[in-house]
Amino acid sequence: MSLRLGDIAPDFEQESSVGRIKFHEWLGDSWGVLFSHPADFTPVCTTELGLTAKLADEFEKRGVKTIALSVDSNESHKEWIKDINETQAANVGFPILADRDRKVSELYDMIHPNASETLTVRSLFVIDPKKKVRLMITYPASTGRNFDEVLRVIDSLQLTDNHSVATPGNWKQGDDVVIVPSLQDPEIIKQKFPKGYKALRPYLRMTPQPNK
Ligand code: BEZ
């Protein structure tokens, strides 16, 4: 099945390095990042999982739970976690799904047969507290993902949900943001943006980041 933005992230039950996980129940009211790896004991994946572990406080600050996946076994995951912790000076505290039967990989379309018949590509999904898919990225096996970018997108999504703003290209924390075009009522705009805004065009209204 191929997923699209705005779809409900499929629920599943699967084994993991921390026990059996019922995905939606495990997510609870949190945001989630579900990301797949081609295989255990591969170099790029080792660095990515180390990075995710080291960014644990950043994910927690944003109310995000992280969960990785590969089609290897739990025994393999447990051995690999020792390597990740040792080589990346990290402490992997999040689950790694052991998707031996490829149940989750297929639900999330993580196997791209023309890239590999059997292994998952580097997919990543950001899921919101309503279980909607809000970001999907797919990277090739040889390119590690940029987890600062993943955090940046989560910040942008949370700003949109909480403050009715969108973020311009290359936006970073503290930069001005744009008022979403759907917001037109002048009274509401005044209430929501007490710092004011600058209309470069009627459709392009810049305002200081509201939560700074
Ligand atoms: C990996 O670490 O997963 C990897 C590295 C080079 C090529 C393909 C995969």
Side-chain angles (χ1 to χ4, degrees):
M1 185 182 104
S2 102
L3 275 176
R4 292 181 175 170
L5 294 184
D7 289 354
I8 295 295
D11 197 14
F12 58 79
E13 204 173 321
Q14 186 57 289
E15 295 304 327
S16 85
S17 54
V18 300
R20 200 163 177 82
I21 284 193
K22 293 180 179 174
F23 187 50
H24 281 194
E25 190 179 301
W26 176 83
L27 280 171
D29 294 328
S30 297
W31 288 70
V33 171
L34 167 65
F35 58 119
S36 59
H37 301 275
D40 292 3
F41 300 102
T42 49
V44 175
C45 310
T46 301
T47 61
E48 287 191 318
L49 291 199
L51 260 175
T52 306
K54 284 191 273 193
L55 289 170
D57 289 349
E58 293 298 321
F59 284 111
E60 194 179 340
K61 247 198 294 196
R62 292 159 174 86
V64 181
K65 290 183 173 177
T66 56
I67 182 164
L69 172 152
S70 85
V71 295
D72 292 311
S73 69
N74 250 334
E75 293 67 42
S76 164
H77 286 351
K78 284 178 186 161
E79 285 307 306
W80 186 35
I81 287 170
K82 289 185 206 157
D83 276 6
I84 299 167
N85 289 344
E86 226 174 281
T87 62
Q88 307 302 305
N91 183 12
V92 172
F94 54 86
I96 307 178
L97 293 165
D99 198 35
R100 298 283 285 163
D101 57 7
R102 292 163 172 69
K103 178 165 64 183
V104 183
S105 310
E106 279 165 22
L107 266 179
Y108 282 78
D109 200 20
M110 291 165 165
I111 295 177
H112 297 194
N114 291 326
S116 164
E117 285 285 351
T118 50
L119 303 177
T120 46
V121 290
R122 263 178 229 292
S123 295
L124 184 147
F125 299 85
V126 171
I127 297 160
D128 74 13
K130 292 182 180 147
K131 314 286 183 290
K132 279 195 178 166
V133 176
R134 300 290 294 275
L135 170 75
M136 301 191 297
I137 58 173
T138 307
Y139 270 45
S142 52
T143 307
R145 285 156 288 198
N146 183 331
F147 286 81
D148 291 336
E149 170 63 3
V150 174
L151 288 169
R152 193 188 75 96
V153 177
I154 292 168
D155 285 342
S156 170
L157 290 167
Q158 294 185 344
L159 272 171
T160 303
D161 288 3
N162 299 329
H163 298 283
S164 309
V165 293
T167 55
N170 279 356
W171 172 83
K172 54 185 187 325
Q173 278 292 335
D175 287 352
D176 284 356
V177 295
V178 298
I179 299 174
V180 294
S182 58
L183 201 56
Q184 290 295 334
D185 184 322
E187 272 315 301
I188 296 180
I189 292 176
K190 215 152 100 190
Q191 276 167 28
K192 275 188 173 280
F193 306 106
K195 294 176 199 158
Y197 70 91
K198 197 166 164 185
L200 302 173
R201 290 289 183 276
Y203 61 85
L204 178 56
R205 300 166 298 175
M206 306 300 299
T207 189
Q209 185 178 329
N211 62 346
K212 278 281 167 189

